[in-house]
Every structure is written in structure tokens, then in C-alpha cells.
Amino acid sequence: MNGPEERLTNALKDVGETVHSADVPPPPFPDRSPSPGVLSRPLVVGALVTVFVLVIGGVFAGGYVALDRTFGDRSEKNAAAVAGERRVAVFLCIPTTSNSACGMQAASELQKQDVQRRLEAMPQVRRLTYESQEQAYARFKERFAGNDDFVAKTRKGDLADSFRVEVADDGAARAVKAAIDGLPGVDKVVIEPLAPRA
């Protein structure tokens, strides 16, 4: 079967006319065969959709990572601040304290055990950690490593051993403070301020 161009050319030859390329109308349907080196339309559309999905996914993933780093930092330093938890420090008596209730004596082992037992029995307490004088002194030296004079003037006996308590919120922190403050062997109870968000 002849194409439209051939039929038109043959008809014009029959009447003695010359065929010019501008006189030949385009075929009614475009040629569907793909040109070499050119992608077909479905492949191009598929590629564009894939790129779009990847870009949108990347934007959401990048946004999640940025938000997680900003608000979701779970490092030990500010995990309590992020989770809404509060920390309470229970400092035990040492001979150098100004608290007259301590009687210039360190808390006895029985007093420490009583404070620990009471803290463990409180439903508000989520986590309880004991920090000895040795641990407190090591942390002190690390924290003030750039201030040699200050570190040199501070002795291990100047720092109290303590219980570090993690609770759910402000109300729980106040309840722990009220229950423990004033017990024998306790110098002071401090509700630690929330760490500022980075």
C-alpha cells in the first residue's frame, strides 16, 4: 500500500504537474518509530516522575535530619531537656559544708542507704545514679581543666558525693525535693535548671 505522499505524487504526474516538497501535506499520523538516540515519551515521563519523587523524598529526609539535630538530640548532656525530664541533685553532707544540720560530719553509710532507699521507693523517680566523691572530683577536674589555679585549690574532700535523680517534670522534681530535703545526711537538694536547646 502506497503512502499519502506517493499517491499525491502519482496523481500530479498523471495531470502533468511537478511535485514540490512544500506542496506535499504532512502525513495524517506522525511516524511512531523512535529516532535513534532519542528516548520514547513514556521513558521520559517515567524518568521525570522518578526524579521528582527522589527530590521530594530528599527534601523531607533532609528536613527530618535537620529537625532531629535541632530538637532531637538525645546526648546525655541534654536528653532530659529534650524529653521534658528534670534532674534533681541530692548532695550529701561533708565536713566542710556550711549546713549546720550536717554537724561538720560526712554522711554515714546508713544515712546514704536510707536516702537511696527512699529515692528508689518514690514513683516519680525514673532513674537514679550515685556519684562518689572520687567521680565528682574527676568530673570537676575535667570541667575546669583550663583553670589550673581553681583546680589546684580544690581538694576531693571539698566535693560531696551525691545522688543524681531523673524525674518526669517540674512537679515530680518538687516532690522529690520536698521528700528528701532535710533528711539526716543530706546537705542540700537542688533542682537543676533545664539545659538550653542548641
Side-chain angles (χ1 to χ4, degrees):
M1 181 171 163
N2 294 337
E5 287 181 32
E6 278 185 71
R7 286 196 303 266
L8 181 60
T9 304
N10 292 338
L12 288 173
K13 281 183 186 176
D14 289 341
V15 291
E17 293 285 328
T18 309
V19 178
H20 299 288
S21 60
D23 295 333
V24 178
F29 300 105
D31 185 15
R32 297 274 182 194
S33 61
S35 303
V38 177
L39 296 175
S40 68
R41 187 172 186 183
L43 284 176
V44 171
V45 171
L48 289 175
V49 168
T50 303
V51 168
F52 178 76
V53 168
L54 290 174
V55 168
I56 295 298
V59 168
F60 280 116
Y64 174 79
V65 169
L67 286 174
D68 188 51
R69 287 190 177 170
T70 303
F71 300 110
D73 184 7
R74 294 287 180 178
S75 67
E76 188 174 327
K77 182 177 179 182
N78 48 354
V82 172
E85 291 184 343
R86 294 302 303 263
R87 288 188 176 153
V88 180
V90 179
F91 294 98
L92 301 174
C93 290
I94 54 174
T96 57
T97 185
S98 60
N99 185 347
S100 59
C102 289
M104 298 178 66
Q105 294 185 9
S108 69
E109 285 304 313
L110 286 177
Q111 290 171 334
K112 291 179 190 179
Q113 290 170 11
D114 181 52
V115 171
Q116 181 174 355
R117 189 170 44 256
R118 287 175 187 250
L119 286 169
E120 288 173 343
M122 294 187 73
Q124 295 91 342
V125 174
R126 290 185 169 180
R127 192 172 305 116
L128 179 64
T129 308
Y130 174 75
E131 184 177 71
S132 67
Q133 279 187 316
E134 291 79 10
Q135 291 168 325
Y137 189 58
R139 190 163 57 89
F140 167 81
K141 288 193 298 185
E142 182 180 315
R143 183 176 177 190
F144 296 100
N147 193 338
D148 294 335
D149 290 339
F150 187 46
V151 172
K153 291 176 183 173
T154 305
R155 295 169 298 144
K156 180 179 73 173
D158 295 331
L159 301 173
D161 43 356
S162 63
F163 289 101
R164 303 298 171 140
V165 185
E166 290 186 20
V167 296
D169 52 30
D170 287 331
R174 288 192 295 273
V176 168
K177 180 175 172 64
I180 302 300
D181 208 4
L183 287 178
V186 174
D187 180 10
K188 60 184 166 235
V189 180
V190 177
I191 298 174
E192 296 181 358
L194 286 172
R197 290 189 176 184

